[in-house]
Amino acid sequence: ECDWSSDVCSSDLDLVRHEIKDTYYLGSGGASLTVNALAFDGDSMLAATSAGVYTAALNDPNIFNYTGWTKDTTGFLYPRNRFTSATSFNGEFYVVNSEDGAANDTVFRRHNGTWVPALGQYNRNSAVDSSGSYLVYIWSYMSAAFDTNLNAVLAMDGNVYYPPAVTDVIVDEQGQFWMADKLKGLRSEEHTSE
């Protein structure tokens, strides 16, 4: 199984049977939304969309319908702006808010029922992900991994091979930092401790 985001909805794919199991429409009245990322925390699903953050309980029988989804505006300065990335890490959701007209993206963390800024602001085209026991933050020229206390423990400078175009980062079971760069391919560099 796999979850997939698209310009109009989110879909649950069965990769063994090669079929779409479910499709979720999130917008008010079933309107289309650009879904940029999905995240799960075991009980809930979060969708980072072009029009904000939406959540639904995984056991809600209406999850396929827009009535099963709630737009979450708690703590966001601009809740209607674009949210481009999402992950679940250490029991909390993280999203990237790409505020229209702003020079930087902002990472927010859902902590004690509200969204609070986390990890600071960085250049545009940022992304968050979880990899093993790390929260990974990616931006165009740098990537970092954070432990469960949000201490930066690994960092990789994408400027080593100019121009950088980092698209994804993982930390393997041995703690090795791997960076996917759309111009340079897959790289594993000596990482630096922060």
Side-chain angles (χ1 to χ4, degrees):
E1 286 186 31
C2 153
D3 289 286
W4 169 65
S5 305
S6 78
D7 283 349
V8 295
C9 63
S10 294
S11 298
D12 187 6
L13 306 176
D14 184 330
L15 298 178
V16 174
R17 296 178 70 183
H18 304 286
E19 67 184 11
I20 296 174
K21 291 175 57 176
D22 288 305
T23 300
Y24 310 120
Y25 293 94
L26 316 181
S28 179
S32 296
L33 286 177
T34 300
V35 178
N36 297 311
L38 295 172
F40 308 88
D41 71 355
D43 299 319
S44 301
M45 183 184 303
L46 177 139
T49 79
S50 59
V53 171
Y54 289 78
T55 58
L58 288 174
N59 64 357
D60 186 335
N62 289 318
I63 195 169
F64 65 92
N65 191 310
Y66 73 94
T67 60
W69 292 82
T70 302
K71 186 170 185 175
D72 190 344
T73 60
T74 315
F76 293 121
L77 187 57
Y78 301 102
R80 291 189 182 100
N81 281 350
R82 242 175 357 121
F83 289 82
T84 56
S85 182
T87 194
S88 177
F89 175 72
N90 200 30
E92 297 179 318
F93 284 120
Y94 290 79
V95 296
V96 174
N97 180 220
S98 295
E99 184 180 317
D100 292 334
N104 299 315
D105 291 342
T106 304
V107 176
F108 286 92
R109 169 175 72 143
R110 180 99 174 144
H111 183 68
N112 294 329
T114 192
W115 290 99
V116 294
L119 309 181
Q121 290 186 326
Y122 295 95
N123 289 342
R124 304 293 274 170
N125 303 315
S126 300
V128 288
D129 202 353
S130 53
S131 181
S133 58
Y134 298 100
L135 173 68
V136 177
Y137 189 48
I138 306 157
W139 59 105
S140 59
Y141 61 88
M142 188 78 169
S143 302
F146 298 84
D147 64 16
T148 55
N149 295 317
L150 298 183
N151 297 312
V153 293
L154 301 171
M156 186 182 280
D157 186 350
N159 283 319
V160 172
Y161 299 101
Y162 188 82
V166 179
T167 59
D168 203 0
V169 170
I170 63 167
V171 182
D172 67 20
E173 292 176 2
Q174 289 76 36
Q176 186 64 43
F177 210 57
W178 295 87
M179 183 186 320
D181 184 306
K182 63 183 167 185
L183 299 176
K184 306 296 181 191
L186 183 63
R187 301 181 307 174
S188 176
E189 300 284 334
E190 289 294 321
H191 56 262
T192 58
S193 295
E194 292 287 303

